[in-house]
Amino acid sequence: MSDPALPHLHLHVSPAGNDHWSGRQPEPAGDDGPLATLAGAQAAWRLWRRSLAGHPGQVTVQVQAGDYTLARGLVLAAEDSGTSGAPLVITGVSGEASQVRLLGGPEVTEWQSVSDPAAKARLAPGALKQVRVADLQALGVSDFGQFKPRGHGQAVAPSHLELLADEQPLTLARWPQASSLPNHGFALIAEAVGQDGFSSREPLPGPWARPEEAVACGYWANDWGYNSCQVASVDQARGLIRTLAPHGVYGYRPNGRFFIANLLEELRGPGQYYLDRQAGLLYCWPPTHATADTAYRVSVLEEPLVTLHECQHVKLHWLSFLASRSHGVRLQGTDLVHKHSLP
């Protein structure tokens, strides 16, 4: 519980704010008003605490409803700690976490019909009328991330660029298509070919023009050990797929289950997307629930949206964390943190 006898700094953050303002009032008024970012609020409360010359004081940051796209993650360190009687409180003011969104990437709004002849030739029959394309580089996005090895036995690593529609992640175009039919959308390994490859029991469709842009995902040897690794090459005629190191943790074994993702030729249904990494073009077949108001967003930030490093007595209320390639919130050497309504 807060101590009412302690000095108390109230700061306000708003999409209509300015980090050159004091942040002491919730609405703009003349040359003052709310701050624009949590980083601006952090600079303000640190300065205020220094003025207390070591005496305790409570900080409450009230964040107005809206979207806050972070170019860098917010890092709360030991100097940002509160105390049991004066915690650091960062809270949305709306009482609904969905109203205050901390975001790790921009919205994609400029979608066009596919006009490039080479891309049109690669799309499956029936897809051309459904698929739309956006130029990410025109949006200022040029870092698409990497298909880093992920899964069992692999270190935690940032994800590749992902596409979300109304806050829900879409699916990379893949072969085989996800299905509830036999093998549940997986193909089966026929046999291992050296340490870096395997052949498919099912014939590979094709040709795939850009297999080096794809990622191979599967339960290569055991049904409890999922891994992903980048594709090096595909020999469609032989049904042979080779991968870049590190390969599956336990190697490739017959009847291991797998699928290949990020293939424009396999963009065949709603809620799927493909990224042309050479041209920076994002192709999407909108999900079935999409409307003219559906908001599309890509993940860009490769660090947690908020990190608490050796920071104590913090309350995070009514905030949602979206569209990061890393964690929403990371705790390091930290306890006494109260989180409420974090998705």
Side-chain angles (χ1 to χ4, degrees):
M1 181 176 294
S2 301
D3 184 346
L6 294 175
H8 197 152
L9 174 66
H10 290 272
L11 293 173
H12 301 271
V13 175
S14 167
N18 186 320
D19 279 349
H20 294 293
W21 290 344
S22 70
R24 303 295 180 94
Q25 52 194 37
E27 300 296 335
D31 294 331
D32 199 13
L35 298 159
T37 67
L38 288 177
Q42 182 183 45
W45 82 57
R46 285 181 172 181
L47 184 64
W48 178 76
R49 280 181 167 171
R50 292 190 195 105
S51 72
L52 299 180
H55 297 289
Q58 182 169 348
V59 175
T60 298
V61 181
Q62 295 184 305
V63 187
Q64 302 286 341
D67 290 350
Y68 299 86
T69 302
L70 278 61
R72 297 289 306 272
L74 177 70
V75 179
L76 302 179
E79 67 178 298
D80 299 305
S81 295
T83 65
S84 59
L88 168 64
V89 179
I90 302 176
T91 180
V93 299
S94 64
E96 294 185 25
S98 61
Q99 300 301 309
V100 180
R101 308 195 311 166
L102 306 185
L103 302 163
E107 188 173 355
V108 182
T109 57
E110 299 297 326
W111 294 96
Q112 308 292 332
S113 298
V114 179
S115 59
D116 176 61
K120 292 168 68 173
R122 293 172 61 191
L123 283 168
L128 181 59
K129 292 183 179 180
Q130 304 294 334
V131 173
R132 297 294 180 263
V133 61
D135 186 345
L136 292 184
Q137 297 193 81
L139 190 62
V141 177
S142 58
D143 179 2
F144 309 130
Q146 301 176 7
F147 290 119
K148 296 180 180 179
R150 304 176 67 85
H152 180 75
Q154 303 290 356
V156 175
S159 174
H160 55 88
L161 179 143
E162 294 180 290
L163 176 63
L164 294 83
D166 287 340
E167 304 181 5
Q168 299 302 312
L170 302 188
T171 301
L172 277 172
R174 52 176 277 184
W175 177 85
Q177 295 283 303
S179 170
S180 59
L181 298 176
N183 296 332
H184 300 281
F186 288 85
L188 299 179
I189 294 175
E191 62 179 356
V193 181
Q195 294 184 339
D196 67 342
F198 57 90
S199 59
S200 172
R201 191 175 297 278
E202 290 79 11
L204 298 181
W208 295 328
R210 302 266 187 85
E212 71 281 357
E213 290 189 338
V215 59
C217 310
Y219 299 87
W220 306 115
N222 302 290
D223 274 347
W224 45 261
Y226 173 90
N227 285 117
S228 66
C229 48
Q230 187 145 1
V231 172
S233 65
V234 173
D235 185 332
Q236 242 96 11
R238 297 171 59 196
L240 175 61
I241 298 168
R242 294 195 180 276
T243 58
L244 298 177
H247 313 292
V249 172
Y250 297 103
Y252 302 121
R253 298 179 186 175
N255 296 318
R257 298 181 293 140
F258 75 94
F259 63 89
I260 310 297
N262 200 46
L263 298 162
L264 180 58
E265 293 83 357
E266 304 305 323
L267 185 49
R268 296 173 180 268
Q272 300 179 8
Y273 70 101
Y274 159 78
L275 176 59
D276 181 338
R277 291 170 168 268
Q278 294 182 16
L281 297 176
L282 182 65
Y283 294 81
C284 175
W285 186 321
T288 53
H289 63 74
T291 69
D293 295 325
T294 295
Y296 295 88
R297 189 173 299 275
V298 291
S299 62
V300 173
L301 189 66
E302 289 201 345
E303 54 195 71
L305 290 163
V306 176
T307 297
L308 290 89
H309 181 70
E310 299 182 356
C311 185
Q312 317 295 325
H313 297 288
V314 177
K315 293 184 178 182
L316 303 176
H317 287 187
W318 304 117
L319 308 170
S320 58
F321 303 83
L322 298 163
S324 170
R325 298 180 192 173
S326 184
H327 303 283
V329 179
R330 176 184 288 170
L331 308 182
Q332 299 175 320
T334 294
D335 56 19
L336 302 173
V337 174
H338 182 258
K339 305 181 292 296
H340 187 67
S341 291
L342 304 183

Short mmCIF file of all heavy atoms in Angstrom, two decimals, residues 220-267:
data_model
loop_
_atom_site.label_atom_id
_atom_site.label_comp_id
_atom_site.label_asym_id
_atom_site.label_seq_id
_atom_site.Cartn_x
_atom_site.Cartn_y
_atom_site.Cartn_z
N TRP A 220 11.86 -33.65 -36.34
CA TRP A 220 12.74 -34.37 -37.25
C TRP A 220 13.00 -35.82 -36.83
O TRP A 220 13.12 -36.70 -37.66
CB TRP A 220 14.08 -33.65 -37.36
CG TRP A 220 13.97 -32.21 -37.74
CD1 TRP A 220 14.31 -31.13 -36.98
CD2 TRP A 220 13.45 -31.67 -38.96
NE1 TRP A 220 14.05 -29.96 -37.64
CE2 TRP A 220 13.53 -30.26 -38.87
CE3 TRP A 220 12.95 -32.24 -40.13
CZ2 TRP A 220 13.12 -29.43 -39.90
CZ3 TRP A 220 12.53 -31.41 -41.15
CH2 TRP A 220 12.62 -30.02 -41.03
N ALA A 221 13.09 -36.04 -35.53
CA ALA A 221 13.45 -37.38 -35.05
C ALA A 221 12.52 -37.87 -33.95
O ALA A 221 12.30 -39.08 -33.83
CB ALA A 221 14.89 -37.38 -34.54
N ASN A 222 12.01 -36.96 -33.13
CA ASN A 222 11.14 -37.34 -32.02
C ASN A 222 9.93 -36.41 -31.98
O ASN A 222 10.06 -35.21 -32.23
CB ASN A 222 11.90 -37.21 -30.68
CG ASN A 222 13.15 -38.08 -30.65
OD1 ASN A 222 13.07 -39.29 -30.61
ND2 ASN A 222 14.31 -37.44 -30.69
N ASP A 223 8.77 -36.96 -31.65
CA ASP A 223 7.56 -36.16 -31.65
C ASP A 223 7.49 -35.17 -30.50
O ASP A 223 6.55 -34.39 -30.40
CB ASP A 223 6.33 -37.07 -31.62
CG ASP A 223 5.92 -37.52 -33.01
OD1 ASP A 223 6.43 -36.94 -33.98
OD2 ASP A 223 5.11 -38.44 -33.12
N TRP A 224 8.47 -35.17 -29.61
CA TRP A 224 8.51 -34.18 -28.54
C TRP A 224 9.62 -33.14 -28.77
O TRP A 224 9.81 -32.26 -27.94
CB TRP A 224 8.74 -34.86 -27.18
CG TRP A 224 9.81 -35.91 -27.19
CD1 TRP A 224 9.62 -37.27 -27.28
CD2 TRP A 224 11.23 -35.73 -27.12
NE1 TRP A 224 10.83 -37.93 -27.27
CE2 TRP A 224 11.84 -37.00 -27.17
CE3 TRP A 224 12.05 -34.60 -27.01
CZ2 TRP A 224 13.22 -37.19 -27.13
CZ3 TRP A 224 13.42 -34.78 -26.97
CH2 TRP A 224 13.99 -36.06 -27.02
N GLY A 225 10.32 -33.22 -29.89
CA GLY A 225 11.44 -32.30 -30.13
C GLY A 225 11.27 -31.52 -31.42
O GLY A 225 11.69 -31.96 -32.50
N TYR A 226 10.63 -30.33 -31.33
CA TYR A 226 10.40 -29.49 -32.51
C TYR A 226 11.61 -28.59 -32.75
O TYR A 226 12.18 -28.01 -31.82
CB TYR A 226 9.16 -28.63 -32.29
CG TYR A 226 8.91 -27.60 -33.36
CD1 TYR A 226 8.15 -27.90 -34.48
CD2 TYR A 226 9.44 -26.32 -33.25
CE1 TYR A 226 7.91 -26.95 -35.47
CE2 TYR A 226 9.21 -25.35 -34.23
CZ TYR A 226 8.45 -25.67 -35.34
OH TYR A 226 8.22 -24.74 -36.32
N ASN A 227 12.01 -28.46 -34.02
CA ASN A 227 13.09 -27.55 -34.41
C ASN A 227 12.77 -26.89 -35.73
O ASN A 227 12.00 -27.42 -36.53
CB ASN A 227 14.42 -28.29 -34.57
CG ASN A 227 15.06 -28.66 -33.26
OD1 ASN A 227 15.24 -29.83 -32.98
ND2 ASN A 227 15.42 -27.68 -32.44
N SER A 228 13.38 -25.73 -35.95
CA SER A 228 13.32 -25.11 -37.27
C SER A 228 14.72 -24.71 -37.69
O SER A 228 15.58 -24.42 -36.86
CB SER A 228 12.41 -23.87 -37.24
OG SER A 228 12.97 -22.85 -36.43
N CYS A 229 14.97 -24.73 -38.98
CA CYS A 229 16.28 -24.32 -39.52
C CYS A 229 16.06 -23.82 -40.95
O CYS A 229 15.09 -24.19 -41.62
CB CYS A 229 17.28 -25.47 -39.48
SG CYS A 229 16.67 -27.03 -40.11
N GLN A 230 16.96 -22.99 -41.41
CA GLN A 230 16.80 -22.38 -42.72
C GLN A 230 17.12 -23.37 -43.82
O GLN A 230 18.02 -24.20 -43.71
CB GLN A 230 17.70 -21.15 -42.86
CG GLN A 230 17.45 -20.39 -44.14
CD GLN A 230 17.61 -18.89 -43.99
OE1 GLN A 230 17.93 -18.41 -42.91
NE2 GLN A 230 17.37 -18.16 -45.05
N VAL A 231 16.35 -23.27 -44.91
CA VAL A 231 16.57 -24.13 -46.07
C VAL A 231 17.78 -23.62 -46.85
O VAL A 231 17.93 -22.42 -47.07
CB VAL A 231 15.32 -24.15 -46.97
CG1 VAL A 231 15.60 -24.87 -48.28
CG2 VAL A 231 14.16 -24.80 -46.22
N ALA A 232 18.65 -24.55 -47.26
CA ALA A 232 19.80 -24.20 -48.10
C ALA A 232 19.48 -24.40 -49.57
O ALA A 232 19.79 -23.56 -50.42
CB ALA A 232 21.01 -25.03 -47.70
N SER A 233 18.84 -25.52 -49.90
CA SER A 233 18.51 -25.81 -51.29
C SER A 233 17.43 -26.88 -51.34
O SER A 233 17.21 -27.61 -50.38
CB SER A 233 19.74 -26.28 -52.07
OG SER A 233 20.21 -27.52 -51.55
N VAL A 234 16.75 -26.93 -52.49
CA VAL A 234 15.71 -27.94 -52.72
C VAL A 234 15.92 -28.53 -54.11
O VAL A 234 16.05 -27.79 -55.09
CB VAL A 234 14.30 -27.34 -52.61
CG1 VAL A 234 13.25 -28.36 -53.02
CG2 VAL A 234 14.03 -26.86 -51.19
N ASP A 235 15.96 -29.85 -54.18
CA ASP A 235 16.00 -30.57 -55.45
C ASP A 235 14.62 -31.20 -55.63
O ASP A 235 14.34 -32.26 -55.07
CB ASP A 235 17.09 -31.63 -55.42
CG ASP A 235 17.26 -32.35 -56.77
OD1 ASP A 235 16.27 -32.44 -57.52
OD2 ASP A 235 18.37 -32.84 -57.06
N GLN A 236 13.74 -30.52 -56.38
CA GLN A 236 12.37 -30.97 -56.49
C GLN A 236 12.28 -32.36 -57.12
O GLN A 236 11.47 -33.20 -56.70
CB GLN A 236 11.56 -29.98 -57.33
CG GLN A 236 10.41 -29.33 -56.57
CD GLN A 236 10.79 -27.97 -56.00
OE1 GLN A 236 11.82 -27.42 -56.33
NE2 GLN A 236 9.94 -27.43 -55.12
N ALA A 237 13.10 -32.61 -58.13
CA ALA A 237 13.02 -33.89 -58.83
C ALA A 237 13.35 -35.06 -57.92
O ALA A 237 12.72 -36.12 -57.98
CB ALA A 237 13.96 -33.87 -60.04
N ARG A 238 14.32 -34.89 -57.05
CA ARG A 238 14.73 -35.96 -56.13
C ARG A 238 13.99 -35.90 -54.80
O ARG A 238 14.14 -36.80 -53.97
CB ARG A 238 16.24 -35.88 -55.88
CG ARG A 238 17.09 -36.09 -57.13
CD ARG A 238 18.54 -35.78 -56.83
NE ARG A 238 19.06 -36.63 -55.75
CZ ARG A 238 20.19 -36.38 -55.09
NH1 ARG A 238 20.89 -35.30 -55.39
NH2 ARG A 238 20.60 -37.19 -54.14
N GLY A 239 13.21 -34.85 -54.59
CA GLY A 239 12.52 -34.70 -53.31
C GLY A 239 13.49 -34.45 -52.17
O GLY A 239 13.22 -34.80 -51.02
N LEU A 240 14.62 -33.80 -52.47
CA LEU A 240 15.71 -33.63 -51.50
C LEU A 240 15.75 -32.20 -50.98
O LEU A 240 15.75 -31.24 -51.76
CB LEU A 240 17.05 -33.99 -52.15
CG LEU A 240 18.32 -33.77 -51.33
CD1 LEU A 240 18.30 -34.62 -50.08
CD2 LEU A 240 19.55 -34.06 -52.17
N ILE A 241 15.80 -32.07 -49.68
CA ILE A 241 15.88 -30.76 -49.02
C ILE A 241 17.12 -30.72 -48.16
O ILE A 241 17.37 -31.62 -47.35
CB ILE A 241 14.63 -30.52 -48.14
CG1 ILE A 241 13.37 -30.52 -49.00
CG2 ILE A 241 14.75 -29.20 -47.37
CD1 ILE A 241 12.09 -30.59 -48.22
N ARG A 242 17.94 -29.69 -48.36
CA ARG A 242 19.13 -29.50 -47.53
C ARG A 242 18.96 -28.24 -46.69
O ARG A 242 18.34 -27.27 -47.13
CB ARG A 242 20.40 -29.42 -48.38
CG ARG A 242 20.72 -30.73 -49.11
CD ARG A 242 22.14 -30.78 -49.64
NE ARG A 242 22.42 -32.02 -50.33
CZ ARG A 242 22.79 -33.15 -49.74
NH1 ARG A 242 22.92 -33.17 -48.41
NH2 ARG A 242 23.04 -34.23 -50.44
N THR A 243 19.53 -28.26 -45.49
CA THR A 243 19.36 -27.17 -44.55
C THR A 243 20.71 -26.59 -44.14
O THR A 243 21.75 -27.23 -44.28
CB THR A 243 18.61 -27.64 -43.30
OG1 THR A 243 19.35 -28.71 -42.69
CG2 THR A 243 17.22 -28.13 -43.65
N LEU A 244 20.65 -25.36 -43.63
CA LEU A 244 21.84 -24.71 -43.11
C LEU A 244 22.05 -25.12 -41.65
O LEU A 244 21.09 -25.36 -40.91
CB LEU A 244 21.71 -23.20 -43.20
CG LEU A 244 21.56 -22.60 -44.61
CD1 LEU A 244 21.37 -21.09 -44.52
CD2 LEU A 244 22.77 -22.95 -45.47
N ALA A 245 23.29 -25.18 -41.22
CA ALA A 245 23.59 -25.51 -39.83
C ALA A 245 23.16 -24.36 -38.92
O ALA A 245 23.17 -23.19 -39.33
CB ALA A 245 25.09 -25.77 -39.68
N PRO A 246 22.77 -24.65 -37.67
CA PRO A 246 22.66 -26.00 -37.10
C PRO A 246 21.39 -26.70 -37.58
O PRO A 246 20.36 -26.08 -37.76
CB PRO A 246 22.59 -25.73 -35.59
CG PRO A 246 21.99 -24.36 -35.48
CD PRO A 246 22.48 -23.60 -36.67
N HIS A 247 21.52 -28.02 -37.78
CA HIS A 247 20.41 -28.80 -38.30
C HIS A 247 19.56 -29.31 -37.14
O HIS A 247 19.71 -28.87 -36.00
CB HIS A 247 20.97 -29.94 -39.15
CG HIS A 247 22.03 -29.50 -40.11
ND1 HIS A 247 21.76 -28.69 -41.18
CD2 HIS A 247 23.38 -29.71 -40.12
CE1 HIS A 247 22.89 -28.43 -41.84
NE2 HIS A 247 23.88 -29.04 -41.21
N GLY A 248 18.66 -30.24 -37.41
CA GLY A 248 17.86 -30.81 -36.35
C GLY A 248 18.73 -31.35 -35.23
O GLY A 248 19.77 -31.99 -35.48
N VAL A 249 18.33 -31.10 -33.97
CA VAL A 249 19.17 -31.45 -32.82
C VAL A 249 19.50 -32.94 -32.80
O VAL A 249 20.63 -33.34 -32.48
CB VAL A 249 18.46 -31.05 -31.51
CG1 VAL A 249 19.22 -31.57 -30.30
CG2 VAL A 249 18.34 -29.53 -31.43
N TYR A 250 18.55 -33.79 -33.17
CA TYR A 250 18.78 -35.23 -33.14
C TYR A 250 18.91 -35.82 -34.54
O TYR A 250 18.73 -37.01 -34.75
CB TYR A 250 17.63 -35.92 -32.39
CG TYR A 250 17.56 -35.52 -30.94
CD1 TYR A 250 16.60 -34.61 -30.51
CD2 TYR A 250 18.47 -36.01 -30.00
CE1 TYR A 250 16.54 -34.22 -29.17
CE2 TYR A 250 18.42 -35.62 -28.68
CZ TYR A 250 17.45 -34.73 -28.27
OH TYR A 250 17.40 -34.34 -26.95
N GLY A 251 19.22 -34.96 -35.51
CA GLY A 251 19.37 -35.43 -36.87
C GLY A 251 18.02 -35.63 -37.54
O GLY A 251 16.97 -35.30 -37.00
N TYR A 252 18.08 -36.16 -38.75
CA TYR A 252 16.87 -36.43 -39.53
C TYR A 252 16.65 -37.93 -39.60
O TYR A 252 17.58 -38.68 -39.95
CB TYR A 252 17.00 -35.82 -40.93
CG TYR A 252 17.26 -34.33 -40.91
CD1 TYR A 252 18.41 -33.78 -41.49
CD2 TYR A 252 16.35 -33.47 -40.31
CE1 TYR A 252 18.64 -32.42 -41.47
CE2 TYR A 252 16.58 -32.10 -40.29
CZ TYR A 252 17.72 -31.59 -40.86
OH TYR A 252 17.94 -30.23 -40.83
N ARG A 253 15.45 -38.37 -39.28
CA ARG A 253 15.15 -39.80 -39.25
C ARG A 253 13.91 -40.10 -40.07
O ARG A 253 13.01 -39.26 -40.19
CB ARG A 253 14.92 -40.26 -37.81
CG ARG A 253 16.14 -40.08 -36.91
CD ARG A 253 15.84 -40.53 -35.49
NE ARG A 253 16.96 -40.21 -34.59
CZ ARG A 253 16.93 -40.40 -33.28
NH1 ARG A 253 15.84 -40.90 -32.70
NH2 ARG A 253 17.98 -40.08 -32.54
N PRO A 254 13.83 -41.30 -40.67
CA PRO A 254 12.65 -41.67 -41.44
C PRO A 254 11.37 -41.51 -40.63
O PRO A 254 11.34 -41.80 -39.43
CB PRO A 254 12.90 -43.15 -41.78
CG PRO A 254 14.40 -43.27 -41.80
CD PRO A 254 14.87 -42.35 -40.71
N ASN A 255 10.34 -41.00 -41.29
CA ASN A 255 9.02 -40.74 -40.72
C ASN A 255 8.98 -39.53 -39.79
O ASN A 255 7.94 -39.26 -39.17
CB ASN A 255 8.46 -41.98 -40.01
CG ASN A 255 8.23 -43.12 -40.97
OD1 ASN A 255 7.74 -42.92 -42.08
ND2 ASN A 255 8.61 -44.33 -40.55
N GLY A 256 10.09 -38.80 -39.68
CA GLY A 256 10.02 -37.52 -39.00
C GLY A 256 9.07 -36.60 -39.74
O GLY A 256 8.97 -36.64 -40.97
N ARG A 257 8.34 -35.75 -39.01
CA ARG A 257 7.32 -34.89 -39.60
C ARG A 257 7.89 -33.49 -39.85
O ARG A 257 8.61 -32.96 -39.00
CB ARG A 257 6.10 -34.81 -38.70
CG ARG A 257 5.41 -36.15 -38.47
CD ARG A 257 4.19 -36.01 -37.59
NE ARG A 257 4.53 -35.62 -36.23
CZ ARG A 257 3.84 -34.75 -35.50
NH1 ARG A 257 2.79 -34.13 -36.03
NH2 ARG A 257 4.19 -34.47 -34.27
N PHE A 258 7.54 -32.88 -40.97
CA PHE A 258 8.08 -31.56 -41.29
C PHE A 258 7.14 -30.79 -42.20
O PHE A 258 6.24 -31.34 -42.83
CB PHE A 258 9.46 -31.68 -41.95
CG PHE A 258 9.41 -32.14 -43.38
CD1 PHE A 258 9.41 -31.21 -44.44
CD2 PHE A 258 9.35 -33.50 -43.71
CE1 PHE A 258 9.37 -31.62 -45.76
CE2 PHE A 258 9.29 -33.91 -45.03
CZ PHE A 258 9.32 -32.98 -46.05
N PHE A 259 7.38 -29.47 -42.29
CA PHE A 259 6.77 -28.63 -43.32
C PHE A 259 7.77 -27.55 -43.69
O PHE A 259 8.73 -27.28 -42.95
CB PHE A 259 5.42 -28.04 -42.88
CG PHE A 259 5.50 -27.09 -41.71
CD1 PHE A 259 5.72 -25.73 -41.89
CD2 PHE A 259 5.32 -27.57 -40.42
CE1 PHE A 259 5.78 -24.86 -40.81
CE2 PHE A 259 5.37 -26.71 -39.33
CZ PHE A 259 5.60 -25.35 -39.52
N ILE A 260 7.58 -26.93 -44.86
CA ILE A 260 8.44 -25.86 -45.36
C ILE A 260 7.60 -24.59 -45.47
O ILE A 260 6.51 -24.62 -46.04
CB ILE A 260 9.03 -26.21 -46.75
CG1 ILE A 260 9.66 -27.60 -46.75
CG2 ILE A 260 10.04 -25.15 -47.17
CD1 ILE A 260 10.85 -27.74 -45.81
N ALA A 261 8.11 -23.47 -44.92
CA ALA A 261 7.31 -22.24 -44.85
C ALA A 261 8.04 -21.08 -45.51
O ALA A 261 9.26 -21.08 -45.64
CB ALA A 261 7.00 -21.90 -43.39
N ASN A 262 7.26 -20.07 -45.86
CA ASN A 262 7.67 -18.86 -46.58
C ASN A 262 7.94 -19.16 -48.05
O ASN A 262 9.04 -18.96 -48.56
CB ASN A 262 8.88 -18.17 -45.94
CG ASN A 262 8.96 -16.70 -46.40
OD1 ASN A 262 7.96 -15.99 -46.39
ND2 ASN A 262 10.14 -16.26 -46.80
N LEU A 263 6.90 -19.64 -48.71
CA LEU A 263 6.95 -19.98 -50.13
C LEU A 263 5.77 -19.29 -50.83
O LEU A 263 4.61 -19.57 -50.51
CB LEU A 263 6.85 -21.49 -50.32
CG LEU A 263 7.97 -22.33 -49.70
CD1 LEU A 263 7.52 -23.79 -49.59
CD2 LEU A 263 9.24 -22.22 -50.53
N LEU A 264 6.05 -18.40 -51.77
CA LEU A 264 4.97 -17.69 -52.45
C LEU A 264 4.07 -18.66 -53.21
O LEU A 264 2.85 -18.49 -53.25
CB LEU A 264 5.55 -16.65 -53.42
CG LEU A 264 4.54 -15.83 -54.21
CD1 LEU A 264 3.59 -15.07 -53.28
CD2 LEU A 264 5.26 -14.86 -55.15
N GLU A 265 4.66 -19.70 -53.78
CA GLU A 265 3.87 -20.67 -54.55
C GLU A 265 2.84 -21.40 -53.68
O GLU A 265 1.86 -21.94 -54.20
CB GLU A 265 4.80 -21.70 -55.20
CG GLU A 265 5.70 -21.14 -56.28
CD GLU A 265 6.97 -20.49 -55.73
OE1 GLU A 265 7.12 -20.43 -54.49
OE2 GLU A 265 7.82 -20.05 -56.53
N GLU A 266 3.08 -21.42 -52.37
CA GLU A 266 2.17 -22.14 -51.45
C GLU A 266 1.23 -21.19 -50.71
O GLU A 266 0.57 -21.59 -49.74
CB GLU A 266 3.00 -22.96 -50.46
CG GLU A 266 3.96 -23.93 -51.10
CD GLU A 266 3.27 -24.89 -52.08
OE1 GLU A 266 2.13 -25.31 -51.80
OE2 GLU A 266 3.88 -25.21 -53.13
N LEU A 267 1.14 -19.95 -51.16
CA LEU A 267 0.19 -18.99 -50.59
C LEU A 267 -1.18 -19.31 -51.19
O LEU A 267 -1.56 -18.80 -52.24
CB LEU A 267 0.64 -17.57 -50.93
CG LEU A 267 -0.14 -16.39 -50.35
CD1 LEU A 267 -0.36 -16.53 -48.86
CD2 LEU A 267 0.58 -15.09 -50.65
#
